[in-house]
Every structure is written in C-alpha cells, then in structure tokens.
Amino acid sequence: MSEAVTEGIRVAVRSEYIAERSYPALNRHFFVYHITIENRSPRTVQLISRHWTIANGHGQIEEVRGAGVVGVQPFIRPGEAFQYTSACPLDTPVGSMEGSYQMVREDGTEFDAQIESFTLVAPHSLN
C-alpha cells in the first residue's frame, strides 16, 4: 500500500498479483492496482491526465502518459473520492510503479498530485 497527499488530494494505492492471469514459465506476471483519490481540499478538482513510471525487476523503465484514467476525467468534489482499478503486466515477478495525476481546479490552476511508489510482487518472490 502507498499513500501520498498533494495540495489536499490523497492518492492511496493497493496492488495485488493475479495468479490466474499470470504465466510465470513464460515470464508473464499480471498485477492489478486499486486507486482511491480523495479530495480533502476545499475546491473541486478534475483529473485531466496521468503519468506513470513502471519498472520491472531488471530496472527497465516504461513511461505511460494519457488522458484521464480508465476512460474518464473525473471531477472530485471536496470530501468526495474517486476509485478505480487498473492492471499492469510485467515480464518479471517483481516491479514498481509511481507517477502523478495532472489535476485542474475550478479556477483553472493546475498541479500534479503525486502517486507514491508501490511494489508489484508475485507471492514467494521476495524473502
């Protein structure tokens, strides 16, 4: 689990390994991650885009950028939260992700809400 708070926006992440969609003998490991974005600020924000840095167990880095998350650019009012689940396939049983969401307030000001680094770990991969 990871958690970060940026300008009143709390981003919490929990990841899990999905064995039934993984094929370790073929170096295919499937992870899902559950995100909660909570607005603790006094103003409504909109999530415009995302930026992820994904590292596999060999240190190879992949950067992913795109509009919104899971096909939406949600508005999050003060005191509300937005939740979604997404997935990440890796060619190693261990990896990590971190990133940011590009947010805009009602007055047009923008900021990046940080996503703290979290691990992707297949069971029994680490001692």
Side-chain angles (χ1 to χ4, degrees):
M1 177 108 179
S2 77
E3 182 178 319
V5 179
T6 309
E7 299 195 30
I9 304 302
R10 176 183 170 266
V11 179
V13 184
R14 183 177 55 83
S15 64
E16 65 181 298
Y17 183 74
I18 307 299
E20 50 279 355
R21 296 210 40 205
S22 297
Y23 302 94
L26 300 174
N27 294 321
R28 294 185 189 151
H29 304 274
F30 195 81
F31 300 89
V32 297
Y33 52 94
H34 309 280
I35 307 265
T36 300
I37 305 165
E38 180 185 359
N39 186 352
R40 295 178 174 176
S41 81
R43 295 184 273 180
T44 297
V45 297
Q46 183 180 15
L47 190 159
I48 299 298
S49 60
R50 68 192 183 283
H51 173 226
W52 287 106
T53 301
I54 305 164
N56 72 8
H58 302 300
Q60 296 171 318
I61 303 292
E62 177 184 359
E63 301 232 9
V64 176
R65 295 178 188 272
V69 290
V70 293
V72 297
Q73 294 178 313
F75 286 91
I76 309 168
R77 293 180 178 85
E80 293 185 347
F82 176 80
Q83 296 180 323
Y84 74 96
T85 298
S86 193
C88 178
L90 284 181
D91 59 358
T92 60
V94 177
S96 65
M97 293 178 67
E98 63 183 20
S100 61
Y101 295 122
Q102 293 65 55
M103 312 293 280
V104 63
R105 295 182 190 92
E106 292 174 306
D107 65 4
T109 57
E110 299 178 4
F111 66 98
D112 290 344
Q114 295 304 307
I115 306 164
E116 187 70 30
S117 178
F118 59 96
T119 56
L120 305 168
V121 181
H124 313 294
S125 295
L126 298 176
N127 293 333

